[in-house]
Amino acid sequence: MSSVDKQLENLKAEITNELPRDISVSDVKYEGPELVVYTRDPKKFAQNGDLIRKLASKLRKRITVRPDPDVLSDPREAEPKILSVIPEEAGVTDLDFHIDTGEVVIEAEKPGMVIGRHGSTLREITQKVGWTPEVVRTPPIESSTVSNVRNFLKQEREDRRRVLERTGRQIHREQLSDDEWVRITTLGCCREVGRASFIVSTPETRILVDCGDKPGSDDVPYLQVPEALGSGANSLDAVVLTHAHLDHSALIPLLFKYGYDGPIYTTEPTRDLMGLLTLDYLDVASKEGRTPPYESEMVREAIKHTIPLEYGDVTDIAPDVKLTFHNAGHILGSAVSHFHIGDGLYNVAFSGDIHYEDTRLFNGAVNDFPRVETLVLESTYGGRNDYQTDQQDSEKRLIEVINETYDRGGKVVIPAFAVGRSQEIMLVLEEAMRSGKIPEMPVHLDGMIWEATAIHTTYPEYLRDDLRDRIFHEDENPFLAEEFNHIDGGEEERQDVADGDQAIILSTSGMVTGGPIMSWLRHVGPDPKSRLVFVGYQAQGTLGRRIQNGWDEIPVNGRDGMGRSDTLKLEMDVETVDGFSGHADRQGLENFVKTMNPRPEKVLCVHGDERSVQDLSSALYHDYNMRTFAPKNLETFRFK
């Protein structure tokens, strides 16, 4: 008998001993980080709401209770009983019964009403029918991504359980080494922006944190070195993804092409956005005539292997590592990743990309941890002069630009990133129109913006407190405002908008590197009454940066659709409104470290160009007397 089987046998005996005599335990299994307890008496379990909490506290494990398949009631009988318990205003849209696990997935417009106060309605459902309810939100805006991910996971449920059981046995295996050390190896994004990737190693465990591409370059992380995949992809125990932007996520599916078969830990919205962005990444590569690094099948493999975690949940991901995600304030689902290593041996936090102050969309990044000895900190705007305009001033300027353009009969075209910046701008525009600061007019959303917004509306619990309350309690979702129009009719619809009255157009790509923004430049660019407004960072070498720097003749594909290059004379004004970045500026980064509780002993400044990381590293050393580093790629740091 293996050590894990023996452990499960002991746990079963301990749980049986703790339970009242009339509640039986038929099986105990690990599924990922969770301990799953199967019982023939689910209704009795549900009658005692504190039972699971007490067991979890005593065993120090995350526990899920499921009914033994033998005792399940017929779904046709269970469905009307479940619906009789749930308030009608919850808006149940689907019930999906899974006999293999005894779970019923309830999709509802208002999941909170299905859950009930402290889970009371869920317990009542189990008491009535014996099934274990799981609740998901019906997307307020129909999302093909969310729908595809949910359907795929449903189809792959059996295979996914095998993945989870294998992962669970890995996590809870016996420790083999008495040595104690922690190392971090840098595989990318050091003294550069892009291809974020790190390995955290202990004598027991190897964890990959992020695996992204480098925009505008073919450089990829150093995955083939011995510390990474040099000894095989399955030498990795886990992958942790901080957020879905491609410079952090693009090459996660590539790991499965190389033979990785383990878990990916991330938040639920990051999982969905990763699916959206990596599939688009493959599509763009194909359209540009490049060979994609992996097939779409690998994206599905990555999704199947994802174990979503919520902010604040302390989770075992290896025999000697616990992981906790905290809000990073950068984009939907972005996470500061805190690793507790060994039995109090060492603590490391990876900031991922962070925004320290609150924005309209998100609460600011969390920096309060039980312990952190080393912080790996992004430094995108770490340069000594990298101070951004205050967001209130930026909003005021954007409103002025829109009013000026409206008064002269023009249109405002805003190139925007689909995830994060577009939704931030949408909130500014919705509030400005609602309060009369700008005239009511159509706001046309083109490219992936509508789909990314639909994913935001599926996960309002990840949004800023007051925005979430507005959606939950006031039933007022600003993303559903009637001014917003999804452009889905192609060139004909764009031409109609261009020929019509004043309007605002948000379109990808944010750096004018392709996509529908090129079409809008053709349609609206020759109009001197209109304006092109940049609200996001324009990287060196992109067409957006060139236009920003004064180019007024730009190459575009011909209207005939044959791909012939043509030159377009831009007559529209060009304006830049800073202050909407999803990254903390220099002051925000310093404040994040200054107010950290507790403050780390060491800081590794990464994810910034050479000047930015050196400036930030030097400032933190001088101001706070901590050991700081600006590592190069392929350096290894030993702690302990």
Side-chain angles (χ1 to χ4, degrees):
M1 183 185 286
S2 74
S3 63
V4 175
D5 288 324
K6 198 166 185 179
Q7 196 184 125
L8 287 169
E9 202 173 80
N10 292 338
L11 281 166
K12 184 177 177 181
E14 196 174 346
I15 292 167
T16 302
N17 197 43
E18 288 292 319
L19 292 175
R21 289 184 182 278
D22 60 343
I23 299 181
S24 64
V25 175
S26 50
D27 200 5
V28 175
K29 289 181 180 178
Y30 283 125
E31 285 189 14
E34 294 194 336
L35 182 67
V36 180
V37 178
Y38 286 89
T39 176
R40 297 183 65 83
D41 308 293
K43 295 180 181 180
K44 290 176 184 172
F45 237 114
Q47 282 163 9
N48 188 336
D50 284 341
L51 211 49
I52 297 172
R53 189 177 52 78
K54 284 176 183 171
L55 278 176
S57 176
K58 182 170 175 59
L59 302 175
R60 297 181 69 186
K61 295 192 183 300
R62 290 168 61 179
I63 291 179
T64 297
V65 174
R66 291 193 192 138
D68 191 302
D70 290 349
V71 300
L72 289 174
S73 58
D74 187 302
R76 286 167 299 186
E77 293 171 15
E79 183 167 331
K81 290 179 183 176
I82 291 170
L83 293 174
S84 72
V85 173
I86 300 169
E88 201 171 319
E89 53 268 39
V92 174
T93 52
D94 191 31
L95 291 179
D96 190 16
F97 292 87
H98 297 278
I99 292 169
D100 56 336
T101 59
E103 291 171 300
V104 52
V105 180
I106 303 168
E107 189 176 285
E109 292 165 3
K110 297 179 180 175
M113 300 190 78
V114 181
I115 294 166
R117 190 170 171 77
H118 305 306
S120 58
T121 310
L122 296 182
R123 285 196 298 277
E124 195 179 340
I125 289 168
T126 303
Q127 282 175 50
K128 276 223 168 192
V129 297
W131 290 78
T132 300
E134 185 187 318
V135 190
V136 294
R137 182 181 305 281
T138 307
I141 298 173
E142 191 176 333
S143 163
S144 58
T145 302
V146 173
S147 173
N148 289 341
V149 167
R150 287 178 181 175
N151 287 334
F152 172 69
L153 291 175
K154 189 159 74 173
Q155 290 162 18
E156 297 290 324
R157 209 169 165 93
E158 204 170 306
D159 204 18
R160 182 169 160 74
R161 273 184 71 201
R162 281 197 289 271
V163 170
L164 290 173
E165 284 185 21
R166 191 172 62 244
T167 300
R169 296 178 77 86
Q170 275 289 100
I171 292 169
H172 298 97
R173 72 187 187 273
E174 197 175 353
Q175 290 197 36
L176 301 173
S177 175
D178 293 330
D179 287 348
E180 289 189 331
W181 47 259
V182 180
R183 294 193 315 215
I184 293 177
T185 301
T186 58
L187 305 180
C189 89
C190 291
R191 305 192 185 197
E192 62 180 354
V193 175
R195 60 168 171 171
S197 198
F198 304 89
I199 290 276
V200 178
S201 310
T202 74
E204 290 290 332
T205 305
R206 290 173 357 124
I207 298 164
L208 182 71
V209 181
D210 288 345
C211 196
D213 74 341
K214 186 172 180 179
S217 162
D218 293 331
D219 293 346
V220 298
Y222 291 92
L223 294 174
Q224 302 304 342
V225 299
E227 295 91 329
L229 307 186
S231 51
N234 269 330
S235 63
L236 291 176
D237 290 273
V239 174
V240 173
L241 176 58
T242 60
H243 67 285
H245 275 156
L246 290 172
D247 59 333
H248 294 255
S249 76
L251 300 177
I252 295 273
L254 184 65
L255 303 172
F256 294 90
K257 182 176 176 179
Y258 288 156
Y260 180 63
D261 199 27
I264 299 168
Y265 295 96
T266 193
T267 62
E268 208 169 3
T270 296
R271 176 198 64 196
D272 293 3
L273 288 169
M274 174 187 72
L276 174 70
L277 295 178
T278 51
L279 287 172
D280 184 65
Y281 171 77
L282 296 181
D283 190 44
V284 169
S286 170
K287 283 176 179 168
E288 291 178 353
R290 293 183 284 117
T291 304
Y294 50 83
E295 304 296 321
S296 59
E297 179 57 36
M298 298 298 105
V299 176
R300 287 190 283 275
E301 279 299 306
I303 288 168
K304 183 168 74 183
H305 285 73
T306 297
I307 298 178
L309 304 180
E310 294 182 13
Y311 292 151
D313 281 357
V314 181
T315 303
D316 290 303
I317 64 166
D320 58 341
V321 181
K322 287 178 168 46
L323 169 67
T324 313
F325 285 143
H326 301 274
N327 170 44
H330 174 61
I331 63 168
L332 186 73
S334 60
V336 177
S337 304
H338 179 275
F339 295 90
H340 177 82
I341 298 166
D343 191 9
L345 177 69
Y346 208 75
N347 293 262
V348 178
F350 286 79
S351 73
D353 290 349
I354 53 170
H355 195 289
Y356 183 60
E357 305 291 338
D358 291 351
T359 64
R360 281 184 177 270
L361 203 51
F362 303 115
N363 296 326
V366 168
N367 63 350
D368 192 2
F369 312 101
R371 267 177 56 193
V372 176
E373 281 78 47
T374 290
L375 170 66
V376 182
L377 178 65
E378 74 121 320
S379 316
T380 314
Y381 291 107
R384 61 170 55 92
N385 297 316
D386 287 346
Y387 295 98
Q388 293 168 17
T389 312
D390 176 78
Q391 185 158 336
Q392 280 187 321
D393 292 340
S394 303
E395 290 183 13
K396 191 175 169 190
R397 179 58 192 145
L398 180 62
I399 286 166
E400 284 171 5
V401 168
I402 290 168
N403 280 327
E404 289 165 11
T405 311
Y406 183 90
D407 288 345
R408 65 192 199 191
K411 296 171 183 66
V412 175
V413 179
I414 304 176
F417 306 109
V419 177
R421 288 325 88 210
S422 290
Q423 291 73 35
E424 192 82 37
I425 299 297
M426 286 170 73
L427 291 175
V428 173
L429 298 177
E430 187 273 338
E431 195 271 340
M433 288 189 198
R434 189 163 36 87
S435 59
K437 291 176 187 170
I438 59 176
E440 289 184 9
M441 67 184 102
V443 179
H444 301 288
L445 310 173
D446 205 350
M448 278 198 307
I449 295 171
W450 186 258
E451 181 60 28
T453 303
I455 296 173
H456 280 70
T457 65
T458 308
Y459 299 105
E461 59 271 29
Y462 284 85
L463 303 177
R464 181 173 165 164
D465 292 344
D466 55 354
L467 177 58
R468 186 178 64 217
D469 290 347
R470 200 174 145 196
I471 293 169
F472 281 166
H473 304 307
E474 297 170 36
D475 214 9
E476 192 182 285
N477 191 330
F479 296 116
L480 302 178
E482 60 184 19
E483 287 82 11
F484 296 128
N485 171 53
H486 176 208
I487 296 284
D488 59 359
E491 284 306 304
E492 201 174 315
E493 190 177 358
R494 292 185 189 114
Q495 186 64 61
D496 287 346
V497 170
D499 293 341
D501 293 334
Q502 295 100 317
I504 298 167
I505 296 140
L506 262 68
S507 176
T508 55
S509 75
M511 295 187 192
V512 199
T513 51
I517 188 66
M518 306 307 296
S519 177
W520 289 111
L521 292 181
R522 280 202 304 273
H523 289 304
V524 186
D527 177 13
K529 301 190 297 298
S530 293
R531 264 200 177 118
L532 182 68
V533 183
F534 290 107
V535 295
Y537 179 68
Q538 304 300 305
Q540 198 71 40
T542 60
L543 183 55
R545 172 68 76 93
R546 292 180 181 129
I547 294 170
Q548 212 175 29
N549 288 344
W551 276 33
D552 59 4
E553 288 194 359
I554 60 169
V556 291
N557 286 338
R559 288 175 188 269
D560 58 9
M562 301 298 290
R564 287 195 285 267
S565 194
D566 200 356
T567 301
L568 174 74
K569 174 78 171 161
L570 282 185
E571 299 286 353
M572 66 196 314
D573 286 348
V574 177
E575 184 90 28
T576 296
V577 181
D578 289 322
F580 293 106
S581 173
H583 290 268
D585 67 356
R586 168 62 177 267
Q587 190 63 60
L589 291 167
E590 285 208 36
N591 288 345
F592 181 84
V593 175
K594 177 183 173 183
T595 61
M596 261 183 87
N597 182 27
R599 202 177 284 168
E601 298 161 7
K602 300 182 181 73
V603 179
L604 275 57
C605 295
V606 301
H607 200 286
D609 61 31
E610 191 148 359
R611 177 187 60 83
S612 299
V613 293
Q614 298 280 22
D615 281 0
L616 186 61
S617 176
S618 175
L620 295 176
Y621 168 73
H622 286 296
D623 293 351
Y624 307 118
N625 195 29
M626 50 176 53
R627 292 187 66 191
T628 62
F629 306 87
K632 295 178 180 176
N633 291 329
L634 291 179
E635 286 197 59
T636 294
F637 293 81
R638 176 172 174 169
F639 308 106
K640 280 288 176 188

